[in-house]
Amino acid sequence: MVIGFIGLGNMAKAMIGGILKKEIVSPEDIVGSAHTQETREKVARELGIRTEESNVQVVRDADIIVLAVKPQFLRVVLEEIRDALEPSKLVISVAAGKTTKWLGEELGKPVKIVRCMPNTPALVEEGCSAVCRNENVSDEELETAMGLIGSFGMAEVVPETLMDTVGGVSGSSPAYVFLFIEAMADAAVKGGMPRKQAYRFAAQSVLGSAKLLLETGMHPGELKDMVCSPGGTTIEAVEVLEKRGMRAAVMEAIGAAIEKSKKL
């Protein structure tokens, strides 16, 4: 099995890194293309894969083609590779806002398409990816795609109608979390803690809290209540967050991201 990547940006490199670490294929079984020679040479040097200047050559060489270009460039790429794309090949797209129907119409023929919405924690193999497929993809082919996508974090199949929601709740959410970590660290600095140490304390607290939720399966409200001792410091802080409308602000922000995704 040869896997081809059109686009070798951060997300593609995260995917390739996970695939290689899990030893799904070897470096010589991955080929990629990028717009600049500098990028091609850098990725080939860092990951040991083969690179090509031509997107068409990548499509011809690969059994699975990962479209890892930005949405605004996707139409041009699809037009370029259309004639070289054989019906037997599987296409995995990570472009936001581009449906399997849109991809099929742009290619102008029946194609096996899996759509994936990963997020940036994939760079450290902690990605959260939603996956859907069109009617041409078999269960076995979906399983193969899930193996690749799951190599750099969690991957779950969702109805395509939920992909815009996924974009708001996981695709964009690292930015919200980083804002929260930065705000907590700022408060710690105000309290006298050195900046670098403040980031470590805030980030580890977020990481540990998320892991506790996932591993216990407990409701977030229950876990919150475990920290809020009667008359204690935490409930004082929670009251301030509630007064400031933290929940409403988060819900409104994610709603705005979902609506923007629908317009892409």
Side-chain angles (χ1 to χ4, degrees), residues 17-247:
I19 290 167
L20 293 177
K21 189 166 185 178
K22 294 290 177 65
E23 298 183 343
I24 296 173
V25 297
S26 57
E28 55 265 29
D29 292 323
I30 298 178
V31 57
S33 59
H35 183 63
T36 67
Q37 182 177 346
E38 180 183 6
T39 299
R40 294 193 299 271
E41 290 177 351
K42 182 180 179 183
V43 174
R45 185 170 58 251
E46 291 177 352
L47 298 173
I49 69 168
R50 178 165 58 89
T51 60
E52 295 282 352
E53 182 178 359
S54 167
N55 294 334
V56 172
Q57 189 61 52
V58 169
V59 171
R60 287 173 176 161
D61 290 349
D63 303 299
I64 298 174
I65 298 98
V66 180
L67 300 174
V69 298
K70 293 180 180 179
Q72 60 265 37
F73 303 131
L74 194 53
R75 177 174 275 121
V76 174
V77 169
L78 294 177
E79 184 177 350
E80 181 184 1
I81 68 173
R82 182 186 297 138
D83 293 340
L85 188 60
E86 299 172 5
S88 61
K89 302 198 175 191
L90 178 65
V91 174
I92 299 175
S93 171
V94 297
K98 300 302 183 185
T99 65
T100 56
K101 181 181 178 181
W102 183 90
L103 291 162
E105 288 174 350
E106 289 296 315
L107 288 166
K109 57 184 177 182
V111 179
K112 299 173 182 180
I113 300 171
V114 169
R115 183 181 171 195
C116 169
M117 175 68 73
N119 61 5
T120 55
L123 292 166
V124 290
E125 298 174 49
E126 290 292 349
C128 179
S129 303
V131 182
C132 63
R133 59 173 165 172
N134 70 359
E135 66 279 4
N136 301 319
V137 178
S138 68
D139 291 344
E140 184 179 356
E141 288 163 336
L142 178 63
E143 185 177 349
T144 298
M146 292 295 287
L148 298 178
I149 298 164
S151 69
F152 50 87
M154 183 191 88
E156 290 193 9
V157 175
V158 302
E160 189 161 17
T161 53
L162 288 180
M163 290 300 270
D164 292 313
T165 301
V166 167
V169 76
S170 68
S172 300
S173 63
Y176 324 147
V177 176
F178 296 142
L179 278 173
F180 184 52
I181 289 172
E182 187 177 31
M184 288 198 296
D186 283 346
V189 170
K190 184 179 179 181
M193 184 178 286
R195 170 69 61 180
K196 288 185 177 180
Q197 189 176 48
Y199 284 140
R200 289 196 298 272
F201 270 75
Q204 179 60 40
S205 296
V206 170
L207 175 64
S209 300
K211 187 173 183 180
L212 184 62
L213 173 65
L214 290 172
E215 292 194 1
T216 64
M218 294 174 66
H219 190 281
E222 290 182 85
L223 293 169
K224 177 210 68 177
D225 290 347
M226 286 170 57
V227 190
C228 293
S229 303
T233 58
T234 307
I235 195 65
E236 290 289 328
V238 169
E239 182 183 21
V240 173
L241 292 174
E242 294 287 10
K243 284 180 178 178
R244 300 288 185 179
M246 179 184 177
R247 296 184 200 224

